[in-house]
Each structure stands twice: as structure tokens, then as C-alpha cells.
Amino acid sequence: MTMAMVTARVNAERKRDAEKVLKRNGRTYSDLIRDLTDYLADTGELPEFERLTLSLIQERERGKSRS
């Protein structure tokens, strides 16, 4: 199996907060990204939390365009 690296820019403080949650649950960012990648590849769908997030963003944007 060939491995690939994924790089993302995130707010440093938010990253530290998220790492605390991951550590508390015995997980790492690499675990999380691998799990997400597997989910996307296996299902061909976004996870529910991401669909909800996108829906909220779209709703907020529609509200801005009405103003």
C-alpha cells in the first residue's frame, strides 16, 4: 500500500483544543484523517456532521444575500 501525506492549515489555538479532545479519546489527527478518508472512499458521501455544517453555511450565506 502506497501512503500519501495530507496537509491543511488550521488556527493554531483551535488545533491545540482539538488535539486535547483527540488525546482524551486515544486518537491522533492522523487517525482522524485516515478514518475520514476511508469513510469518504467507502460511502461516496460526506459524513452527516459535514452535511449539517455545509447546510448551516449555505443558510447563513442566503441570509446575507437577502440583507
Side-chain angles (χ1 to χ4, degrees), residues 37-47 51:
T37 300
D38 287 344
Y39 181 89
L40 294 168
D42 290 347
T43 66
E45 300 284 339
L46 291 173
R51 288 192 299 263

Side-chain angles (χ1 to χ4, degrees), residues 22-48:
L22 290 167
K23 185 175 181 177
R24 215 174 34 240
N25 287 279
R27 307 293 285 163
T28 66
Y29 258 106
S30 290
D31 296 330
L32 188 68
I33 297 302
R34 277 192 298 274
D35 291 347
L36 178 58
T37 300
D38 287 344
Y39 181 89
L40 294 168
D42 290 347
T43 66
E45 300 284 339
L46 291 173
E48 181 66 18

